[in-house]
Amino acid sequence: GIALAVSQVNGCQYCLSAHTYVASNIAKIPADEIRRNRLGQADDPRTAAAVAFSRTLMTSRGKVSDADLATVRAAGFSDANIVEIIALSAQYMLTNFVNNVFDTEIDFPVVDLEVK
């Protein structure tokens, strides 16, 4: 979910295509859940908190509010877990930037950048 949320914010069509393929075909995540993850949402409350926090982290450039932290903590994430969410988000942001810079050829079924 975090990979999808971050890649959506960063407009990385390569990563969205790759992560959608893996989520759909390997993890067997339903298409509607993939769509929600791209928007920083999820059916499961804990996953929803993580992807929402990740999305906010990206859109705020790391300047999350106390309320954002309280929300993710209330979902059961410790500060160590929050650092893990930040690290994953940064990892995906890095790959988004690399693929955006080099306009990597998409070798997965192409996903539209617009969430439908």
Side-chain angles (χ1 to χ4, degrees), residues 57-111:
L57 182 71
M58 289 294 108
T59 60
S60 71
R61 296 185 177 126
K63 296 182 187 254
V64 300
S65 69
D66 290 341
D68 296 322
L69 283 171
T71 299
V72 75
R73 286 177 177 140
F77 291 98
S78 67
D79 284 353
N81 297 143
I82 294 168
V83 169
E84 290 173 347
I85 293 170
I86 295 166
L88 278 173
S89 298
Q91 173 189 329
Y92 293 124
M93 183 180 72
L94 173 64
T95 60
N96 293 165
F97 284 14
V98 169
N99 287 299
N100 282 343
V101 165
F102 292 107
D103 196 22
T104 306
E105 182 179 340
I106 301 172
D107 48 357
F108 295 94
V110 177
V111 171

Side-chain angles (χ1 to χ4, degrees), residues 15-92:
C15 291
L16 281 170
S17 299
H19 294 302
T20 296
Y21 180 84
V22 170
S24 177
N25 294 291
I26 295 173
K28 305 296 184 194
I29 297 172
D32 196 49
E33 181 70 359
I34 291 170
R35 182 181 127 342
R36 281 191 291 276
N37 288 177
R38 290 177 63 183
L39 298 170
Q41 305 164 3
D43 273 343
D44 174 71
R46 187 166 162 86
T47 302
V51 296
F53 183 79
S54 179
R55 182 173 174 79
T56 299
L57 182 71
M58 289 294 108
T59 60
S60 71
R61 296 185 177 126
K63 296 182 187 254
V64 300
S65 69
D66 290 341
D68 296 322
L69 283 171
T71 299
V72 75
R73 286 177 177 140
F77 291 98
S78 67
D79 284 353
N81 297 143
I82 294 168
V83 169
E84 290 173 347
I85 293 170
I86 295 166
L88 278 173
S89 298
Q91 173 189 329
Y92 293 124

